[in-house]
Amino acid sequence: MIQWLEPRHFAAEADISAITNPAVTEPFGAPRSLPRMIFDFAVLAACITPNCPDLPVLDFGAGSGWITEFLARMGKKVVAFDIHGDLESCLRMRIAADQRLTSHQIGFEHGDGHQMPFDDCSFSNLLCYDTLHHMHSYPKVFEEFFRILAPGGRAIFVEPGAKHSKSADTIAFLKQQKAHDPSWIERDVVLEEIDEIARQAGLTGLTVVPMPHPDRLVTFNMKTWGKFRSSLPSLGKTMARKKFCDRLASLNYNERVIFYADRQF
């Protein structure tokens, strides 16, 4: 018989209000796709460079701090950065909700991404999850990324793609957001444009990490999969692989882009 844990089974010092707060349950209580968010974080984490191990990682546009929490669980020293004023509260609630997190691993700062309050060469990696496309000036934020990354550091991004601003969902969301924040924007992230901006800021050109997406899984029955992966040439295999590659290329340009740029030594 399954025994379901009640809040009282948590450690006595845990803050029960923190455990159930919507700002703290993200990504698990988020309205967005949980598989997508976990998948995207896994790719972000896989791209982290081991260079400059003594420096912290920056969670740029940390929001509710869920990526900060995940990085701390991985043993990373991490700084959360966002413009909203309740960032500290979100982080403290996350620490209160789970005693496996230690506060000395997690720092935070408020500010504008176009002019960040950090010293030069402060971070080994910068993780930007769904934040770049809200920035008003891509050149200014990339100049800041270059400045605050240490030589050998890396800026890693998961963002919507080249058709983001034109989608029906984005248009509806933008209308809703502007009702209480007129400065809110939703921009496209066009890889060629960002590649040029990154280079002009002093970073390397982009390394693109094309991935299938958990919200748009491509599946095969065993017979079709056997033909798809067969080393023997066939028209059916060629067509299936072309269809798969076309879908992957479109998804990883128009809808969802994962990429990074390095600051060279």
Side-chain angles (χ1 to χ4, degrees), residues 14-115:
D15 184 338
I16 303 304
S17 64
I19 294 170
T20 58
N21 190 295
V24 176
T25 56
E26 189 181 23
F28 301 104
R32 293 182 290 177
S33 165
L34 177 60
R36 192 204 87 183
M37 296 174 78
I38 299 299
F39 178 90
D40 287 346
F41 175 78
V43 180
L44 275 176
C47 292
I48 292 174
T49 177
N51 295 334
C52 315
D54 296 332
L55 293 178
V57 174
L58 180 66
D59 181 5
F60 179 82
S64 70
W66 73 270
I67 285 179
T68 299
E69 177 185 333
F70 279 28
L71 290 169
R73 287 179 182 274
M74 292 170 59
K76 303 290 185 183
K77 190 172 184 179
V78 55
V79 175
F81 177 76
D82 205 292
I83 199 168
H84 73 79
D86 60 347
L87 178 60
E88 179 182 4
S89 174
C90 290
L91 295 174
R92 290 194 181 281
M93 283 192 292
R94 287 182 179 275
I95 294 169
D98 190 338
Q99 294 181 20
R100 291 174 296 180
L101 292 170
T102 56
S103 58
H104 72 271
Q105 288 180 277
I106 299 173
F108 72 94
E109 279 289 351
H110 300 111
D112 187 334
H114 300 84
Q115 189 174 4

Side-chain angles (χ1 to χ4, degrees), residues 6 8 13 18 32 38 44-45 87 94 98 122 129 145 159 165 173 186 190 192 200 204 208 214 230 234 237 250-251:
E6 297 294 334
R8 64 177 178 273
E13 295 180 12
R32 293 182 290 177
I38 299 299
L44 275 176
L87 178 60
R94 287 182 179 275
D98 190 338
S122 293
Y129 183 97
F145 294 160
E159 294 289 330
S165 69
F173 178 75
E186 296 282 342
V190 181
E192 292 87 350
Q200 289 179 355
T204 61
V208 180
S230 171
S234 71
K237 181 186 76 171
S250 176
L251 172 66

Side-chain angles (χ1 to χ4, degrees), residues 209-235:
V209 187
M211 289 284 174
H213 207 280
D215 288 345
R216 293 171 178 79
L217 293 176
V218 178
T219 60
F220 301 84
N221 61 41
M222 281 304 300
K223 182 178 180 180
T224 305
W225 179 243
K227 292 180 179 179
F228 182 90
R229 60 177 295 274
S230 171
S231 60
L232 298 175
S234 71
L235 178 61

